Amino acid sequence: MTRFFVGITGASGHAYAEALLRALLAAGHEVDLAATPAGCLVLRHELGVEAGVQGELLAESLPGWLGPEAAARVRVFRSDEVGAPPSSGTALTGAAIICPCSMGTLGRVRAGFSSNLVERVADVALKEGRRLVLVPRETPMSAIHLENLLDLTRMGAICLPAMPGFYHRPKTLEDLVDHVVGKVLDRLSVEHGRGARWKGLDEPPSEAGAVPAPGAQGER
Ligand SMILES: Cc1cc2nc3c(=O)[nH]c(=O)nc-3n(C[C@H](O)[C@H](O)[C@H](O)COP(=O)(O)O)c2cc1C
């Protein structure tokens, strides 16, 4: 069992956050969770999940959102709780994932602002040499966005934009979401059944659920 930190920001694409949380919890892991104020707004708008302003209502909403059993393995923090346990380098956080990651948070992480818990945990992950996976969603991207992505990649973050592929012939929205989330889970070395593995042009796409362990050959 690993404890992961998941930060939710005000970028669109909260379906990715939900699928990621469900997959981490289904794999038996524990999650520390925080949503920025803009993240709380978009959570309500896109998923109908009430999180309050700084995430103070998120713990209450969690059982109805993810189910009571899963919710029991999530520690929820307000985004202004910059002194919460995950804000310290001494915290045993396996990896931090910001999903989806707004361009605002991306820029502030790049500059080391640490102005809320999500940014602080990202800063700690970089300073401690821990895995930091950023799932940005914005299009088109400005030179500022692209420079921030390049700099963060050079600093050790994994920038994994929410850009689903189509070569696995997705049929549902879930197939598209799973294609991105499966790649995030691969980076975390979490086994999963989300997203199909590429087997070559002559092979039919494999069904999600038949996904081998991370690091399989031929992944695109
Ligand atoms: C419905 C909605 C969708 C948004 N989508 C995006 C987006 O996809 N990418 C992005 O960078 N910002 C997006 N924004 C703007 C961010 O929420 C805004 O820049 C905010 O200040 C980010 O704050 P945060 O980084 O602290 O979460 C969106 C805002 C709203 C209300």
Side-chain angles (χ1 to χ4, degrees), residues 5-75:
F5 178 89
V6 175
I8 297 178
T9 74
S12 184
H14 284 218
Y16 295 114
E18 177 174 324
L20 175 64
L21 289 169
R22 287 190 189 281
L24 290 174
L25 295 166
H29 299 294
E30 295 192 339
V31 172
D32 285 347
L33 178 67
T36 65
C40 293
L41 282 180
V42 179
L43 252 181
R44 186 186 312 124
H45 181 72
E46 293 192 347
L47 301 184
V49 173
E50 186 53 66
V53 178
Q54 296 277 353
E56 67 276 9
L57 301 182
L58 197 47
E60 248 173 72
S61 300
L62 219 54
W65 179 25
L66 301 176
E69 269 181 43
R73 277 182 289 119
V74 181
R75 292 196 303 184

Side-chain angles (χ1 to χ4, degrees), residues 9-12 36 38-39 42 45 102-105 108 116 137-138:
T9 74
S12 184
T36 65
V42 179
H45 181 72
S102 72
M103 293 302 114
T105 290
R108 288 188 295 276
N116 60 37
R137 202 233 66 96
E138 187 53 282

Side-chain angles (χ1 to χ4, degrees), residues 72-94:
R73 277 182 289 119
V74 181
R75 292 196 303 184
V76 181
F77 301 98
R78 294 167 53 108
S79 60
D80 57 359
E81 261 187 277
V82 288
S87 70
S88 168
T90 60
L92 290 174
T93 305

Side-chain angles (χ1 to χ4, degrees), residues 112-192:
F113 271 41
S114 294
S115 62
N116 60 37
L117 184 60
V118 173
E119 294 169 19
R120 169 64 185 166
V121 172
D123 197 56
V124 167
L126 289 175
K127 90 180 169 76
E128 298 291 337
R130 294 193 189 130
R131 202 157 293 186
L132 171 63
V133 181
L134 305 171
V135 184
R137 202 233 66 96
E138 187 53 282
T139 194
M141 288 196 185
S142 69
I144 296 172
H145 303 154
L146 293 167
E147 283 186 2
N148 285 338
L149 285 167
L150 180 59
D151 284 349
L152 280 162
T153 301
R154 286 182 170 149
M155 291 169 187
I158 296 164
C159 293
L160 198 156
M163 286 183 188
F166 288 81
Y167 52 85
H168 61 304
R169 300 182 195 160
K171 292 182 183 63
T172 65
L173 197 57
E174 196 185 4
D175 291 341
L176 289 168
V177 169
D178 281 353
H179 193 251
V180 171
V181 171
K183 282 182 174 265
V184 174
L185 295 166
D186 282 353
R187 299 288 87 72
L188 304 175
S189 299
V190 170
E191 290 213 36
H192 62 89

